[in-house]
Amino acid sequence: MRNKPKGINHKLFKVMGFQLALISLVTLLSVYGAAKVVEDVLIKEALDGEADFFWQHYEKDKAKALPKTLNLTGYFADSENLPYALKGVKEGYHSVALDDDKPLVHVSNRYDKTLILVFKEGQVARLAFYFGVAPLAFVLLIIYLPAWISFMMSRRAISPVVKLAKLVDNIEVSETADISADFSEIEEKADAEVLTLIKAFEHYSKEVTHYVRREKNFTRYASHELRTPLAVMKGSTALLTKQDLSENSQKIVSRMSKVISDMERLIDALLLLSRNEKGPAQDEAINLVEVVNAEIEKIRLNYPSRDLAIDLNSEAMVHSKVPQYLFSICVTNILNNAVNYDETGRINVAITENKVVIKDSGQGMNESELERIYNPFYRGEQFRDTTKGFGLGMAIVKTICERMNWTIEIQSQLGEGTQVTLKFEGGTLNS
């Protein structure tokens, strides 16, 4: 099942989070870059200047005192007080571990002397950090505040759209519910675009409601009006079957009886399809074997001139809380297809705990026919006889399965037969 897409608010949060993260990253990298510039450029230039300054004065006065400040200490390489870690340091810049610290060391050689300047950059680094963090926090605050205000304004701007989407999503669609909704709360603060969407939906809902009601009324009235003449014809054909008719007349009456029976099933199917409901609930478990056996006997009565070979196989009595009426419609339509398209072969019906399998040895279907098997009014290309149903049987079965969360599977090979598997909620086996 596909996951429900995220809403606009979620996307706004993602966009704002991305912007703030990007701004923060750029700002931090800028501060870090500035710190590296201070360390690698300014401090080194300062040490170069300190060394040049000392050597200039040393040239004039050999007794010039070595630099000694809070952060800078000078040594000659041959000094007795030179720390051991600084002995043997070569000319240039170095970072040397000294007294639990790692100061920057500058070494220069002039006048046969080696000057070693030790700069404790920790103090300067701390000052740079403090002076860097405070401006950074201030800058980020200045950036975040307008971004947050923009985000809240954006949310407020799209809130009518979000409310409209939630309201439409919560509209109940059922047999009696109207798909119209009350948009008065949204209309008070809605923009022109939202008002356009509301008006379009209201117009759409009115049109859909009108069409649905018209279709339901037509189906209901047509089905009701058709039942009366069908009942008359069914009674008349029943009387005719008891008369002493010729063989040809009996065939005509038999064909009429079958067409009337098909028409009755068609009316029931139309009524079912016209109702957008899941189907009646079944409080008590029904005996599936008895139901299927009864439908097989009805099929035999509908084909009195044929010696139908239908085998029912079940290891035990199977009970399940499936709606008997809908289950019977599915089984009847599948059996009718098997009988109509299997003139001489055998039909096998197998019942297990959670499925019914109906297999025939008839003509079978090719891939093209299998793809269209659930299309309304579709019948196989080789079977165009109008006495063999209306092409609605499998469409009805498919509709019932979708509403009841059942599963139907069809396997068929041309010239070898067809197998239809109807799966439903698990039943219980009783010996």
Side-chain angles (χ1 to χ4, degrees):
M1 184 177 181
R2 186 180 178 182
N3 294 331
K4 188 176 181 180
K6 301 294 185 181
I8 298 178
N9 281 330
H10 177 78
K11 292 182 179 179
L12 282 178
F13 273 115
K14 286 182 64 177
V15 170
M16 183 179 178
F18 175 76
Q19 289 179 342
L20 295 182
L22 184 61
I23 292 170
S24 301
L25 179 62
V26 171
T27 306
L28 289 172
L29 289 176
S30 300
V31 173
Y32 177 77
K36 294 300 290 183
V37 168
V38 170
E39 179 183 347
D40 296 340
V41 179
L42 298 181
I43 294 179
K44 289 181 179 180
E45 286 186 359
L47 289 176
D48 280 337
E50 289 287 344
D52 289 338
F53 179 82
F54 173 81
W55 286 122
Q56 288 174 8
H57 286 78
Y58 180 80
E59 183 182 6
K60 299 175 182 178
D61 182 10
K62 302 300 181 182
K64 171 68 177 175
L66 291 167
K68 182 68 175 179
T69 64
L70 177 64
N71 297 309
L72 181 65
T73 303
Y75 301 94
F76 280 126
D78 55 359
S79 299
E80 295 180 358
N81 60 342
L82 179 70
Y84 181 79
L86 298 178
K87 293 181 178 181
V89 179
K90 296 181 180 180
E91 187 176 4
Y93 295 95
H94 307 278
S95 184
V96 180
L98 180 65
D99 298 333
D100 298 327
D101 199 0
K102 205 169 185 180
L104 184 64
V105 177
H106 179 274
V107 181
S108 58
N109 298 314
R110 292 185 189 179
Y111 311 114
D112 296 327
K113 299 287 285 185
T114 300
L115 174 67
I116 301 175
L117 299 178
V118 180
F119 181 74
K120 296 180 180 180
E121 58 178 337
Q123 182 71 15
V124 177
R126 283 192 293 271
L127 292 175
F129 174 77
Y130 291 134
F131 280 101
V133 168
L136 172 63
F138 182 71
V139 169
L140 289 178
L141 181 62
I142 293 176
I143 295 174
Y144 288 166
L145 187 59
W148 178 256
I149 293 174
S150 300
F151 170 72
M152 295 305 296
M153 292 178 66
S154 299
R155 284 193 64 186
R156 187 174 299 175
I158 66 168
S159 62
V161 178
V162 176
K163 290 180 180 179
L164 178 62
K166 290 182 178 178
L167 184 59
V168 172
D169 187 55
N170 292 329
I171 292 177
E172 181 184 1
V173 180
S174 64
E175 184 71 15
T176 57
D178 193 348
I179 63 173
S180 60
D182 182 14
F183 299 103
S184 57
E185 182 180 350
I186 300 177
E187 289 175 336
E188 293 178 359
K189 301 180 181 179
D191 298 324
E193 292 80 4
V194 177
L195 290 175
T196 301
L197 289 175
I198 292 174
K199 291 180 180 179
F201 180 82
E202 289 178 340
H203 175 74
Y204 171 78
S205 64
K206 288 179 182 178
E207 291 295 321
V208 170
T209 301
H210 171 70
Y211 289 136
V212 170
R213 287 176 179 172
R214 187 173 67 180
E215 184 271 336
K216 289 182 182 300
N217 288 336
F218 171 79
T219 305
R220 187 182 302 113
Y221 297 151
S223 300
H224 176 74
E225 294 299 324
L226 285 172
R227 286 185 184 277
T228 301
L230 281 177
V232 173
M233 288 188 289
K234 188 174 183 179
S236 299
T237 52
L239 291 175
L240 286 174
T241 56
K242 298 178 181 179
Q243 303 297 320
D244 186 15
L245 301 177
S246 64
E247 184 178 352
N248 288 336
S249 298
Q250 287 287 357
K251 289 182 180 179
I252 294 174
V253 172
S254 176
R255 186 185 303 173
M256 290 174 59
S257 298
K258 184 179 180 305
V259 171
I260 292 171
S261 178
D262 289 341
M263 283 295 296
E264 287 180 327
R265 287 195 299 272
L266 176 61
I267 292 173
D268 290 337
L270 290 175
L271 287 173
L272 173 67
L273 295 175
S274 68
R275 295 192 296 267
N276 187 23
E277 58 187 18
K278 192 172 182 180
Q282 185 74 21
D283 296 329
E284 297 181 0
I286 62 173
N287 189 324
L288 300 185
V289 177
E290 291 183 356
V291 174
V292 173
N293 191 55
E295 296 305 318
I296 292 175
E297 293 305 316
K298 291 180 183 178
I299 294 291
R300 295 184 191 278
L301 293 176
N302 289 334
Y303 295 86
S305 60
R306 290 178 56 183
D307 184 16
L308 298 178
I310 304 177
D311 298 325
L312 176 59
N313 300 312
S314 178
E315 296 179 357
M317 293 293 105
V318 183
H319 291 79
S320 180
K321 288 185 177 181
V322 296
Q324 181 172 344
Y325 173 64
L326 299 181
F327 178 73
S328 297
I329 291 177
C330 290
V331 172
T332 299
N333 279 292
I334 298 172
L335 283 173
N336 269 320
N337 275 2
V339 171
N340 286 332
Y341 302 143
D342 189 357
E343 297 289 347
T344 58
R346 301 187 65 86
I347 300 171
N348 183 271
V349 182
I351 304 176
T352 59
E353 290 185 50
N354 64 342
K355 65 182 178 182
V356 175
V357 181
I358 300 176
K359 184 177 182 180
D360 64 63
S361 57
Q363 298 292 327
M365 293 177 285
N366 55 36
E367 292 184 3
S368 175
E369 291 173 326
L370 276 174
E371 290 177 357
R372 294 181 289 172
I373 189 65
Y374 299 118
N375 294 349
F377 305 106
Y378 173 76
R379 286 173 291 178
E381 296 295 333
Q382 69 271 42
F383 300 110
R384 291 300 187 184
D385 186 357
T386 56
T387 63
K388 293 186 176 181
F390 302 94
L392 285 172
M394 297 310 297
I396 294 169
V397 173
K398 184 67 173 178
T399 300
I400 293 174
C401 289
E402 289 175 350
R403 293 186 185 176
M404 298 302 301
N405 292 325
W406 297 346
T407 304
I408 182 169
E409 298 175 354
I410 301 179
Q411 298 173 327
S412 184
Q413 289 187 354
L414 201 60
E416 295 185 10
T418 301
Q419 176 176 298
V420 181
T421 303
L422 179 65
K423 297 181 180 180
F424 41 86
E425 295 297 329
T428 57
L429 286 172
N430 303 101
S431 302

